[in-house]
Amino acid sequence: MAIGSIKVRVIKESANKVTLHFLTLNRQMPVPREDFERRVQNGEYLVV
């Protein structure tokens, strides 16, 4: 269980990867789709 959530915005989606923009860090990073979906479900990422 995550203590806090990281606010992210989805920039681009493909079949295998999701490119995220981390609002607090002002950075973009590609993440595997399965990791992204697991982290959203666990509450680690808050999609804005």
Side-chain angles (χ1 to χ4, degrees):
M1 183 118 186
I3 294 173
S5 298
I6 300 172
K7 293 181 182 178
V8 297
R9 180 175 292 139
V10 176
I11 301 294
K12 185 170 61 169
E13 294 186 53
S14 69
N16 300 350
K17 293 189 179 186
V18 179
T19 302
L20 302 176
H21 176 80
F22 294 90
L23 298 176
T24 55
L25 301 173
N26 198 24
R27 300 270 188 242
Q28 293 182 6
M29 184 174 81
V31 177
R33 178 173 291 280
E34 58 193 28
D35 291 344
F36 170 73
E37 291 175 357
R38 180 176 38 83
R39 291 172 183 166
V40 168
Q41 189 173 21
N42 290 339
E44 295 176 35
Y45 288 165
L46 177 63
V47 181
V48 211

